[in-house]
């Protein structure tokens, strides 16, 4: 690829074979469009519906469910089709929800992309035409003015005060002055190529004429898009955990079936009966509702996040944030407002601050918006105009009172701008603003406490000292000066306007931090999350902002791009935990930083809005793009889009993610502890052996339907626990089945299985009737699981402290399950179908007492655990919001 910024302008035009005064012909433009393709970025190929569906079916849990459905169907010769149909229905539901969410997110992005499609003013066949930017080709001549999107990369042919905002590409928060002229050295970095404009940036001031040098994937934005397309998306922590659950359940199912067959053959039982019982138990052992429950819980989280200004593109993404331990955040527009603001005005004469703001406003090209509440143009000029307006000096009124007669536009060499205005009482006012050293060099007088006086060495030293103080606070400083004349000069150029000036003051401004960003950063720190600033801005400015936000703390380090270039990846990985600010970085640097944290085993979230953020957004475990100021490329790369461009929304997403994972864990806890009870009941009954099984295959399948669906889903709808952000992030590699978790599953499952066998034994002892014993065991097992769902709502907090009715979904699930089970146990037609018989009141009393046992025991255990813990731990226990 040619380096058009280093060639002479004549060589560039010859290479592109174009006429700067007439542009391309329509015929030639059409030929080039066919050769180069439209001026748009390639996108990753979208999977068709069939591939999307097959992608969902690759999940190990889904494969286990499909195998269970097949076993359930064929084991009964096709007669036991109900459970197989239920399983298949859940699989279909899970697939539809996941595919629909991906499609909805894609459609939302396409709508956003259409809203931001820019136009371009192009010279074709010697005349100006307004075309879609996608129709541009290399060699086109394009006119630019303030407010335009730069439609493609281009070399500047002519400019008058042309300035662009390149923050989306380079991270530089201020406007960049452009110039035409000779070529630059071949090794000039992108941020320093003053004779080029970059596609996708915005013209903030002046006018210009360019020749298009790169379109589509051949542009600078295309290079980054190419990096993006090469990035592969890995599995989320939740997907790892679900794969782990699938493996465990698969082994359990195979083991249960094998043992059941082996024991049955040793006891010379009917092989077909044993096979049907084993299959029924295997189906019951698999929580087939789990994938659907996980999907629904994630969808609920997506809905909650949408209400809090976040669009989730992939369902597991919101959960991934729950274990994020590092947030790498872009500065400009993410932690800051991406809008310059005047923070300080210094004048040697007291009370002359309004004059300094008036001169700065007059000597600017900022234009008020139609509603008059804001300005468009160069960020520094709009900041001055806004501050002046707030202090009662509106630009529209100033322009009426001091109409502009002429100007000397800003020049990157002079670093000054001058304007000439007619004064209301006669005469003219010359206003000058620019870099302090450049303006001061043209000043001969100072507006001091006693009025206008000659500018001596002491006054110059004081002005420079004040400039250093403001610059040390990471403020961008401009100086303003003036000269009064009786008549306007005959010509308006720098030499005529910028001499014998009177220095008035200094204006310090900054792209300030968002007010809510400091609070969000502090919440991250309390939650054990490390916030990192990654920016294309200067290191001094980045560190100053990071200090204000409490990102840069005592002992922390800051590294800039050149420093990273000389730092091998291995050294960066060793140093990574000591660095909190990265400045003047490139897209490749951002990738290196994200990957270095990932090498440390951290789950990395990356926020950003620019094209230069896109590769890191894709490489990160969770990418968060800004919806308002974010580029299409950044939105396409991200997992989540923040519609309010608010860093605090990321923290809210972390909170939701932690809550969602906790709820999914509760659902798994409930399902598996209940299933252990079922397995234990049948296994012990087979081994002991009982002459009659305590549960029939039909009862097992019904039990699976009643207890594995609504209560587990209700657990997934628990409110986010209080103080969830006061806990450190969980280790993403920590197994779901930790020792403590496995112990809880084991003893609670044994408890459920034990009381079921006890119910069977008591029923047989009290009635001497196997049908009554079977009915009591069936009722006890079902009801105990419904009661147990209330206990699982929190691992440590008492149900009564949580509030029995604080989760309406749980109350509804319990009532529905209770009514369904009551219908089976009490309605004569269903009694025959499920092999149950009526019970006496005394037997019902025994059954209900046994069914309540797990809830009572679990509450006692939680109370004992709280009593042995310090008070501070009790205070962090969960409670609904």
């Amino acid at each position: 690829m040619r380096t058009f910024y280093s060639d002479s302008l004549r060589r560039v035009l010859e290479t592109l074979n174009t006429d700067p005064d007439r542009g391309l012909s329509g015929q030639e433009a059409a030929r080039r469009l066919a050769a180069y393709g439209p001026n748009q970025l390639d996108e990753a190929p979208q999977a068709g519906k069939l591939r999307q569906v097959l992608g969902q079916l690759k999940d190990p849990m889904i494969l286990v469910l499909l195998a269970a459905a097949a076993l359930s169907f064929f084991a009964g010769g096709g007669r036991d089709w109900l459970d197989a149909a239920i399983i298949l229905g859940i699989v279909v539901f899970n697939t539809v929800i996941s595919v629909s969410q991906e499609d909805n997110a894609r459609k939302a992005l396409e709508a956003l992309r259409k809203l931001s499609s820019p136009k371009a003013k192009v010279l074709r066949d010697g005349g100006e035409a307004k075309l879609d930017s996608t129709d541009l080709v290399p060699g086109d001549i394009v006119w630019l003015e303030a407010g335009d999107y730069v439609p493609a990369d281009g070399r500047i042919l002519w400019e008058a005060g042309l300035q662009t905002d390149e923050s989306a590409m380079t991270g530089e928060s201020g406007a960049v002055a452009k110039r035409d002229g000779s070529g630059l050295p071949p090794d000039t970095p992108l941020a320093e190529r003053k004779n080029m404009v970059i596609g996708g940036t915005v013209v903030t001031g002046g006018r210009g004429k360019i020749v298009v040098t790169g379109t589509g994937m051949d542009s600078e934005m295309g290079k980054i898009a190419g990096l993006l397309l090469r990035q592969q998306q890995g599995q989320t922590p939740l997907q790892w955990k679900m794969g782990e659950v699938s493996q465990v359940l698969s082994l359990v199912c195979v083991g249960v079936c094998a043992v059941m067959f082996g024991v049955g053959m040793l006891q010379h039982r009917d092989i077909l009966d044993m096979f049907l019982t084993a299959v029924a138990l295997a189906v019951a052992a698999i929580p087939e509702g789990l994938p659907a429950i996980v999907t629904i819980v994630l969808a609920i989280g997506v809905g909650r996040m949408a209400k809090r200004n976040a669009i989730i593109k992939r369902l597991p993404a919101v959960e991934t944030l729950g274990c994020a331990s590092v947030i790498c955040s872009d500065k400009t527009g993410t932690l800051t407002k991406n809008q310059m603001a005047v923070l300080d005005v210094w004048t040697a004469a007291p009370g002359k601050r309004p004059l300094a703001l008036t001169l700065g406003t007059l000597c600017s090209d900022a234009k008020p918006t139609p509603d008059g509440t804001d300005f468009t143009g160069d960020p520094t000029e709009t900041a001055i105009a806004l501050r002046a307006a707030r202090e009662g000096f509106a630009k529209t009124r100033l322009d009426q009172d001091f109409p502009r007669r002429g100007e000397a536009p800003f020049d990157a060499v002079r670093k000054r701008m001058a304007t000439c205005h007619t004064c209301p009482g006669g005469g003219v006012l010359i206003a000058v603003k620019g870099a302090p050293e450049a303006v001061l060099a043209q000043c001969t007088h100072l507006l001091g406490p006693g009025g206008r006086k000659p500018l001596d060495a002491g006054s110059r030293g004081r002005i420079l000292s004040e400039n250093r103080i403001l610059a040390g606070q990471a403020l961008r400083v401009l100086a303003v000066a003036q000269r009064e004349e009786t008549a306007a000069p005959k010509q308006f150029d720098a030499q005529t306007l910028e001499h014998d000036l009177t220095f008035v003051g200094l204006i310090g401004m900054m792209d300030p931090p968002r007010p809510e960003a400091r609070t969000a950063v502090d919440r991250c720190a309390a939650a054990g999350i490390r916030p990192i600033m990654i920016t294309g801005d200067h290191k001094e400015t980045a560190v100053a902002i990071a200090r204000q936000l409490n990102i840069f703390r005592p002992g922390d380090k800051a590294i800039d791009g050149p420093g990273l270039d000389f730092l091998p990846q291995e050294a960066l990985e060793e140093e990574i935990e000591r660095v909190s600010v990265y400045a003047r970085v490139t897209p490749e640097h951002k990738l290196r930083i994200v990957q270095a944290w990932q090498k440390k085993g951290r789950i990395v979230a990356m926020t950003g809005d620019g094209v230069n953020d896109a590769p890191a957004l894709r490489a990160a475990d969770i990418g968060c793009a800004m919806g308002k100021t974010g580029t299409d490329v950044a939105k396409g790369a991200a997992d989540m889009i923040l519609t309010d461009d608010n860093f605090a929304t990321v923290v809210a997403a972390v909170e939701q993610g932690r809550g969602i994972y906790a709820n999914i864990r509760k659902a798994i806890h409930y399902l598996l502890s209940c299933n252990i009870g079922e397995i234990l009941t049948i296994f012990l009954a087979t081994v002991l052996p009982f002459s009659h099984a305590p549960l029939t295959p039909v009862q097992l399948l019904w039990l699976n339907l009643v207890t594995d669906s609504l209560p587990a889903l209700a657990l997934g709808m628990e409110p986010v626990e209080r103080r969830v952000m006061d806990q450190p992030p969980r280790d993403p590699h920590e197994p779901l089945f930790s020792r403590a978790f496995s112990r809880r599953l084991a003893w609670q499952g044994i408890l459920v299985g034990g009381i079921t066998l006890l119910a069977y034994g008591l029923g047989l002892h009290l009635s001497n009737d196997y049908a009554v014993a079977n009915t009591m065991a069936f009722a006890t097992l079902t009801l105990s699981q419904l009661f147990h769902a209330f206990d699982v709502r929190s691992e440590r907090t008492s149900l009564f402290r949580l509030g029995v009715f604080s989760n309406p979904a749980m109350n509804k699930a319990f009532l529905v399950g209770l009514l369904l089970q009551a219908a089976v146990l009490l309605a004569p037609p269903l009694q025959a179908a499920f092999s149950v018989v009526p019970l006496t009141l005394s037997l019902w009393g025994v059954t209900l007492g046994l069914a309540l046992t797990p809830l009572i025991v679990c509450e006692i255990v939680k109370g004992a655990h709280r009593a042995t813990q310090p008070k501070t731990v009790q205070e962090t226990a969960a409670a609904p919001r």
Side-chain angles (χ1 to χ4, degrees):
M1 183 178 293
R2 295 192 61 85
T3 53
F4 288 103
Y5 61 88
S6 63
D7 291 340
S8 67
L9 196 54
R10 179 178 178 181
R11 178 71 179 277
V12 170
L13 294 172
E14 288 177 351
T15 301
L16 295 171
N17 191 22
T18 188
D19 186 339
D21 298 320
R22 290 190 55 81
L24 298 174
S25 66
Q27 184 178 5
E28 176 61 18
R31 188 190 68 79
R32 295 190 185 189
L33 185 63
Y36 292 101
N39 180 31
Q40 61 188 24
L41 302 179
D42 294 344
E43 298 182 8
Q46 299 294 339
K49 283 291 185 293
L50 180 60
R51 289 188 61 186
Q52 285 182 282
V53 170
L54 292 177
Q56 297 295 325
L57 298 182
K58 289 190 302 183
D59 185 281
M61 176 70 78
I62 301 297
L63 294 177
V64 171
L65 290 178
L66 292 175
L71 283 173
S72 179
F73 182 79
F74 290 110
R79 295 186 301 273
D80 298 331
W81 57 269
L82 178 61
D83 199 68
I86 292 172
I87 296 174
L88 291 176
I90 290 173
V91 171
V92 171
F93 176 78
N94 177 71
T95 302
V96 169
I97 289 290
S98 298
V99 172
S100 298
Q101 176 64 22
E102 293 175 7
D103 288 343
N104 290 337
R106 190 179 304 115
K107 290 175 182 177
L109 290 176
E110 290 173 357
L112 290 171
R113 188 176 295 113
K114 289 177 181 177
L115 289 175
S116 60
S117 179
K119 299 283 187 178
K121 293 184 285 292
V122 187
L123 195 62
R124 290 271 178 92
D125 292 312
E128 186 176 301
K130 199 165 188 178
L131 306 175
D132 287 337
S133 61
T134 54
D135 293 333
L136 291 182
V137 295
D140 264 327
I141 308 299
V142 177
W143 292 93
L144 298 174
E145 61 182 30
D148 287 346
Y149 282 94
V150 179
D153 292 356
R155 177 71 178 267
I156 298 171
L157 301 175
W158 169 87
E159 59 84 23
L162 183 64
Q163 294 180 323
T164 61
D165 178 1
E166 297 182 347
S167 59
M169 285 294 295
T170 66
E172 177 65 56
S173 58
V176 179
K178 297 296 182 177
R179 61 178 175 83
D180 52 11
S182 59
L184 299 170
D187 59 350
T188 303
L190 181 63
E192 305 297 331
R193 297 173 190 173
K194 307 299 184 184
N195 60 358
M196 298 284 293
V197 290
I198 307 172
T201 60
V202 181
V203 179
T204 58
R207 300 177 299 281
K209 182 180 178 182
I210 67 167
V211 56
V212 174
T213 58
T215 61
M217 296 300 290
D218 291 330
S219 65
E220 293 296 333
M221 186 183 291
K223 294 178 184 177
I224 296 177
L227 286 175
L228 181 62
L229 291 174
R230 290 194 293 271
Q231 288 292 326
Q232 297 296 321
Q233 206 153 32
Q235 281 193 321
T236 68
L238 181 61
Q239 289 169 326
W240 299 337
K241 295 294 185 294
M242 297 311 298
E244 176 185 310
V245 171
S246 299
Q247 292 175 0
V248 171
L249 292 180
S250 300
L251 293 175
V252 168
C253 292
V254 172
V256 166
C257 291
V259 172
M260 291 287 290
F261 269 112
V263 172
M265 291 179 68
L266 290 175
Q267 296 177 350
H268 305 290
R269 294 192 178 190
D270 183 78
I271 295 179
L272 180 59
D273 287 343
M274 289 302 304
F275 180 73
L276 290 175
T277 302
V279 169
L281 184 59
V283 172
I286 300 174
E288 63 266 14
L290 185 57
I293 289 167
V294 170
T295 301
I296 293 171
V297 171
L298 290 174
I300 292 170
V302 168
R304 289 174 179 173
M305 289 307 303
K307 293 178 181 178
R308 303 179 74 169
N309 302 308
I311 297 174
I312 304 297
K313 292 173 58 184
R314 293 193 309 128
L315 284 180
V318 67
E319 182 275 335
T320 309
L321 270 172
C323 56
S325 55
V326 177
I327 298 180
C328 297
S329 175
D330 183 44
K331 176 183 75 68
T332 306
T334 307
L335 292 166
T336 66
K337 295 181 177 180
N338 199 21
Q339 180 181 3
M340 299 295 288
V342 173
L343 301 185
D344 201 353
V345 180
W346 177 85
T347 57
K352 294 299 181 181
R353 188 169 81 171
L355 176 57
L357 290 172
T358 297
L359 291 171
T361 303
L362 288 172
C363 187
S364 77
D365 294 321
K367 297 178 181 179
T369 56
D371 59 7
T373 60
D374 205 348
F375 292 85
T376 60
D378 177 79
T380 59
E381 294 186 342
T382 60
I384 296 172
L386 274 172
R387 182 62 178 268
R390 289 170 184 163
E391 298 198 11
F393 305 98
K395 191 174 191 306
T396 51
R397 183 61 182 272
L398 290 175
D399 289 341
Q400 292 173 3
D401 295 341
F402 297 88
R404 185 181 294 190
R405 297 285 300 276
E407 66 183 274
F410 178 85
D411 181 87
V413 177
R414 294 174 16 252
K415 298 182 181 179
R416 295 184 299 269
M417 175 181 179
T419 54
C420 181
H421 305 264
T422 301
C423 297
V428 297
L429 171 68
I430 296 171
V432 178
K433 80 173 191 313
E437 297 85 353
V439 173
L440 193 59
Q442 303 302 315
C443 293
T444 57
H445 290 76
L446 170 69
L447 187 62
R452 184 174 180 267
K453 64 179 183 179
L455 185 63
D456 56 24
S459 297
R460 287 181 183 272
R462 182 186 176 193
I463 293 170
L464 293 174
S465 175
E466 291 293 337
N467 177 48
R468 284 192 295 270
I469 292 173
L470 293 175
Q473 299 171 7
L475 299 181
R476 178 168 291 146
V477 186
L478 292 180
V480 290
Q482 69 172 23
R483 189 176 78 250
E484 297 179 3
E485 298 282 1
T486 56
K490 294 182 179 180
Q491 59 182 19
F492 302 101
D493 56 28
Q495 290 183 345
T496 305
L497 299 179
E498 298 172 355
H499 65 84
D500 298 324
L501 301 175
T502 298
F503 190 90
V504 176
L506 300 171
I507 301 176
M509 62 197 76
M510 176 190 284
D511 178 12
R514 290 178 176 270
E516 66 278 8
R518 171 62 186 263
T519 302
V521 168
D522 289 344
R523 290 195 72 196
C524 286
I529 301 169
R530 177 76 180 275
I532 303 295
M533 179 186 288
I534 304 179
T535 178
D537 216 335
H538 294 281
K539 185 163 73 172
E540 294 77 11
T541 303
V543 169
I545 294 289
R547 278 201 178 100
Q548 292 183 37
L549 293 172
N550 208 25
I551 291 176
F552 191 88
R553 301 185 177 189
D556 286 353
K557 294 183 178 181
I559 297 179
D560 58 13
L564 278 173
D565 288 334
F566 288 100
L567 195 66
Q569 189 67 11
E570 294 78 10
L572 175 61
E573 291 167 5
E574 293 178 2
E575 194 77 3
I576 194 77
E577 294 186 2
R578 290 184 285 272
V579 182
S580 59
V581 174
Y582 298 87
R584 306 300 281 178
V585 295
T586 65
E588 290 80 4
H589 291 149
K590 295 184 180 185
L591 273 175
R592 288 183 59 196
I593 295 164
V594 169
Q595 291 166 351
W597 276 112
Q598 290 172 329
K599 193 71 177 292
K600 289 284 186 178
R602 303 294 191 93
I603 296 296
V604 182
M606 169 75 187
T607 71
D609 58 358
V611 175
N612 60 332
D613 297 324
L617 287 173
R618 175 61 62 84
D621 298 284
I622 175 77
C624 312
M626 302 299 140
K628 289 183 178 179
T629 60
T631 60
D632 289 343
V633 175
K635 293 171 187 173
D639 301 291
M640 180 170 72
I641 299 173
L642 310 179
T643 59
D644 60 354
D645 286 15
N646 195 334
F647 179 78
T649 305
V650 182
V651 183
V654 171
E655 183 179 30
Q656 282 293 328
R658 292 187 175 189
I660 285 170
Y661 181 79
N663 288 349
I664 291 173
R665 199 164 182 264
K666 291 171 187 175
I668 295 173
H669 177 183
Y670 169 72
L671 291 171
L672 296 190
S673 61
C674 291
N675 288 3
I676 288 173
E678 297 168 15
I679 294 171
L680 186 66
T681 299
I682 300 300
F683 181 75
L684 290 179
T686 303
V687 172
L688 287 179
F690 289 170
S691 59
H692 290 76
L695 297 171
T696 68
V698 173
Q699 290 172 347
L700 279 173
L701 297 179
W702 171 256
L703 181 73
N704 199 44
L705 174 64
V706 172
T707 62
D708 275 16
S709 52
L710 293 180
L713 179 58
L715 285 169
M717 299 176 71
E718 281 287 318
V720 176
E721 295 180 352
R722 181 186 298 173
R723 295 188 179 181
V724 71
M725 292 298 286
D726 293 340
Q727 307 298 325
R730 70 180 188 277
D731 183 354
H733 302 293
E734 180 184 33
L736 176 63
F737 294 97
S738 62
R739 288 185 178 180
F741 188 68
S742 299
R743 282 197 299 267
R744 276 196 302 275
L745 291 180
W747 75 259
Q748 290 177 10
I750 291 171
L751 180 61
V752 170
I755 62 167
T756 302
L757 289 174
L758 181 59
Y760 183 77
L762 287 174
L764 191 60
H765 174 72
L766 295 174
S767 67
N768 198 30
D769 187 339
Y770 285 107
V772 170
N774 173 269
T775 302
M776 288 183 64
F778 180 40
T780 298
L781 184 55
T782 306
L783 296 177
S784 67
Q785 292 183 8
L786 291 175
F787 285 125
H788 183 46
F790 283 95
D791 175 74
V792 179
R793 289 179 57 192
S794 176
E795 292 181 1
R796 296 183 178 181
T797 304
S798 168
L799 171 63
F800 303 102
R801 185 178 178 186
L802 282 174
V804 177
F805 303 107
S806 59
N807 183 352
M810 177 59 72
N811 301 329
K812 294 175 184 177
F814 176 79
L815 288 175
V816 171
L818 189 63
L819 290 174
L820 288 173
Q821 186 64 14
V824 167
L825 293 172
L826 302 177
L830 294 177
Q831 286 178 337
F834 285 89
S835 304
V836 297
V837 295
L839 299 178
T840 64
L841 286 177
S842 60
L843 292 178
W844 268 117
V846 173
T847 300
L848 290 175
L850 290 172
L852 283 168
T853 301
L855 176 61
I856 296 171
V857 172
C858 290
E859 285 296 310
I860 293 173
V861 171
K862 285 193 286 188
H865 180 81
R866 288 194 303 273
T868 60
Q869 298 300 312
K871 185 178 180 181
T872 53
V873 173
Q874 293 184 36
E875 291 175 347
T876 61
R881 289 185 175 274

